[in-house]
Amino acid sequence: MSYFDLRRSRAAADGMKPPPLTLPAILADLRWQLILYRIDRLPTRTIVAFLALRLVHLVQYRRGWNRGAADA
Amino acid sequence: MRDFAPIADATAFALDRRNFDSLPDAQASSWRKGFASSRSKAVKGPRKLVIEILNSCNLDCPMCRVGQHGVDLRRSMPLSLFRDVITVVPSVEIVRLNGLGESTLLPDFPQYVDFLVKRELSVELITNGSAQMADYKRVLEAGGHVLFSWDSADPATFERLRRGATWNALLQTLREVCAECLSLGNDSRCSLIFTLQNGNAGGFTDVIRLAGELGIGSVQLNVAKQRGKLDQNELDMIQADIRQAATLAAEGGLSLYVPDQITGVRTAVPGAKVTSGTTCRAPWDEAVIRWNGDVQVCNMFNPFVYGNLQRAPFEEIWSGRFAAVFRSKLNTRDCHPYCTACAYIPDAYGHAA
């Protein structure tokens, strides 16, 4: 299997769904981002700012911002 | 170490996408979970480094296509960085100059070899055979090992699979290298690598015959990552070819490195070598350093990236979370799809990886 096969084999549908807007899902997402930011050794203030933006992003995405919904 | 060019997109954020997004969805999820729960832990440094000093080639082989746009010497790892890379991995004993490219195209190639010799490291060079004889001589005189990619003993097939190569010219070089090995008293320093791919099934025996005629000490069979499974007829033909080649090699006293499975089907040949597709230790014993500083898994050029030397020191990358999750999944059912039925033989040429 080549690298290109691997990329093609990925079904996009599930990945395009917005994550559920529940507290555990939000926390899991923020924890994931935190792990990545820490590996990259971002300053604490930057991490906090990015996580806040991420939270806004998650909420808005769930409310239909990605589809241009009126209430987003 | 920040002078690699261009700067690779290798933040943890980018590696999350590069490594996990390329997996099938279910697997991406389980790998991400594994990543989140993994911890960096110290791992003994690699014994072998595969270093890509040039990511460009003068041939355009259908299997690889790195050479499709011609030679671009800017896609190289400068000598100063090469020295740094070697220096920061004190555990290394063997350095294989290999990659998606032809290392010998670099004008200062002999200086790379000289540095390895100075550090008393074993040198292995994988080449397409188009270099000047002086380059091969330099490696051989340093006690190194030259491995020629030789995918067919039929001139027409060879030139089709190694587009841009001229059979007669490369054969002449191979003859001269073999003569040089014999003059140095060691025929095992020159080997052929036959990569089984679309277009050369059934041609292994002829390559063994050619190796015997030239006095080459060993031949390795590798398998290109196939697009889909081979059909039964092809498999039967390949198995019969390998058995015939093994008999011929045994008669001629030639060392043969044949994988114990091809695309997951057992190779019914006595003495077939254990491959990484059966059980793999490569990610604990070797690392690949690409021309742009990316640190990757193994000689088979699995696209998974542990990290990049522009962003973090080698030890941190080697023992980091991306490496840890890859190792934790290896030799399990959830291993990276690229590793499935891998035909890499780590202990070829007496260098147990």
Side-chain angles (χ1 to χ4, degrees), chain B residues 25 62 65 108 137 181 209 246 252 271 323:
Chain B
D25 273 347
R65 301 306 318 271
D108 50 354
K137 215 169 165 180
C181 284
R209 204 168 281 127

Side-chain angles (χ1 to χ4, degrees), chain A residues 6 8 10-11 33 40-41, chain B residues 12-13 21-22 25 227 316:
Chain A
L6 291 183
R8 270 203 303 273
R10 184 168 187 274
Q33 301 301 320
D40 283 336
R41 293 206 185 88
Chain B
F13 203 69
D21 275 6
S22 62
D25 273 347
R227 300 181 77 84
E316 195 176 300

Side-chain angles (χ1 to χ4, degrees), chain A residues 1-3 5-11 14-15 31-33 35-37 39-41, chain B residues 11-13 16 21-25 32 35-36 225-227 303 316 321 336-338:
Chain A
M1 184 182 280
S2 74
Y3 179 53
D5 293 324
L6 291 183
R7 290 192 69 83
R8 270 203 303 273
S9 71
R10 184 168 187 274
D14 285 347
R31 179 174 171 248
W32 177 258
Q33 301 301 320
I35 290 170
L36 298 180
Y37 296 150
I39 290 176
D40 283 336
R41 293 206 185 88
Chain B
T11 58
F13 203 69
D16 166 34
D21 275 6
S22 62
L23 297 170
D25 273 347
R32 281 196 168 100
F35 180 84
K225 296 287 173 185
Q226 299 287 336
R227 300 181 77 84
E316 195 176 300
R321 281 187 182 226
H336 196 285
Y338 195 89

Side-chain angles (χ1 to χ4, degrees), chain A:
Chain A
M1 184 182 280
S2 74
Y3 179 53
F4 302 106
D5 293 324
L6 291 183
R7 290 192 69 83
R8 270 203 303 273
S9 71
R10 184 168 187 274
D14 285 347
M16 296 300 286
K17 282 182 193 163
L21 198 62
T22 60
L23 192 59
I26 290 172
L27 290 177
D29 185 89
L30 295 181
R31 179 174 171 248
W32 177 258
Q33 301 301 320
L34 184 61
I35 290 170
L36 298 180
Y37 296 150
R38 277 187 174 158
I39 290 176
D40 283 336
R41 293 206 185 88
L42 295 185
T44 308
R45 278 191 206 175
T46 309
I47 291 179
V48 172
F50 279 11
L51 291 179
L53 285 171
R54 180 75 184 173
L55 190 60
V56 173
H57 175 200
L58 285 174
V59 173
Q60 290 299 86
Y61 194 52
R62 181 61 184 166
R63 292 176 66 196
W65 158 78
N66 59 314
R67 297 189 305 272
D71 62 341

Side-chain angles (χ1 to χ4, degrees), chain B residues 96-294:
Chain B
R96 175 176 278 195
L97 299 174
N98 184 26
L100 303 179
E102 173 61 30
S103 312
T104 59
L105 290 173
L106 283 175
D108 50 354
F109 172 75
Q111 292 170 47
Y112 287 77
V113 177
D114 288 345
F115 181 72
L116 296 176
V117 173
K118 204 170 142 194
R119 301 275 303 187
E120 298 181 349
L121 297 168
S122 294
V123 187
E124 292 180 354
L125 169 67
I126 297 192
T127 176
N128 62 22
S130 64
Q132 299 293 317
M133 187 56 203
D135 288 337
Y136 297 129
K137 215 169 165 180
R138 186 72 202 91
V139 176
L140 293 170
E141 283 172 353
H145 196 142
V146 182
L147 300 107
F148 285 84
S149 296
W150 209 270
D151 298 335
S152 178
D154 170 56
T157 309
F158 184 89
E159 289 180 1
R160 192 169 64 246
L161 295 179
R162 307 201 73 76
R163 265 194 305 242
T166 309
W167 166 267
N168 286 333
L170 266 57
L171 185 63
Q172 180 57 30
T173 304
L174 185 58
R175 281 187 203 283
E176 288 176 27
V177 171
C178 292
E180 180 68 22
C181 284
L182 291 172
S183 76
L184 291 169
N186 193 338
D187 67 349
S188 63
R189 287 197 205 158
C190 173
S191 305
L192 299 184
I193 300 178
F194 173 89
T195 303
L196 183 65
Q197 57 195 288
N198 293 333
N200 69 351
F204 189 47
T205 305
D206 291 336
V207 170
I208 298 295
R209 204 168 281 127
L210 176 71
E213 285 167 18
L214 296 175
I216 288 169
S218 61
V219 181
Q220 183 182 352
L221 176 73
N222 194 6
V223 182
K225 296 287 173 185
Q226 299 287 336
R227 300 181 77 84
K229 287 250 172 195
L230 293 166
D231 66 38
Q232 194 56 47
N233 287 342
E234 258 184 308
L235 272 173
D236 290 345
M237 179 175 70
I238 290 166
Q239 296 266 23
D241 181 37
I242 293 173
R243 279 195 293 274
Q244 196 184 344
T247 310
L248 200 63
E251 287 169 7
L254 195 117
S255 300
L256 202 59
Y257 296 94
V258 171
D260 61 358
Q261 51 79 29
I262 290 176
T263 65
V265 179
R266 290 277 138 205
T267 317
V269 175
K273 307 292 180 192
V274 175
T275 56
S276 292
T278 306
T279 179
C280 186
R281 286 279 312 160
W284 286 269
D285 295 324
E286 69 181 57
V288 174
I289 299 180
R290 303 295 301 274
W291 70 286
N292 59 4
D294 275 353

